[in-house]
Amino acid sequence: MDVLSVKVIVNSLIFSVIGIGVFLIAYFIIEKITPENTWREISQNKNTAVAIVFGALIIGISMIISAAIHG
């Protein structure tokens, strides 16, 4: 393997870990802001509306993090 390939792989891993970390922080902030426990509302109460909104929120945060890392 080329030195450049190793550098690219290491950079990808570092940015992936940073992106996942930022995503988890954003998830826990959103979980604290919302009045209900969203995970319990989705899994136990089977609230489809909350699941759709929360899924859209997760996709939006992921796109923002991806754009920030990609530049």
Side-chain angles (χ1 to χ4, degrees):
M1 268 189 3
D2 193 335
V3 174
L4 183 60
S5 297
V6 172
K7 185 176 179 181
V8 169
I9 291 171
V10 169
N11 284 340
S12 295
L13 289 173
I14 289 171
F15 282 120
S16 295
V17 169
I18 291 170
I20 291 170
V22 171
F23 175 77
L24 288 174
I25 290 169
Y27 168 77
F28 287 119
I29 290 172
I30 291 167
E31 187 69 33
K32 292 293 182 187
I33 290 173
T34 55
E36 291 289 326
N37 184 344
T38 54
W39 184 251
R40 183 175 356 128
E41 192 68 29
I42 292 169
S43 63
Q44 292 177 358
N45 298 341
K46 308 291 188 217
N47 192 335
T48 306
V50 172
I52 291 171
V53 169
F54 207 69
L57 193 63
I58 288 172
I59 291 171
I61 291 170
S62 299
M63 291 174 67
I64 291 169
I65 293 169
S66 171
I69 289 173
H70 183 61

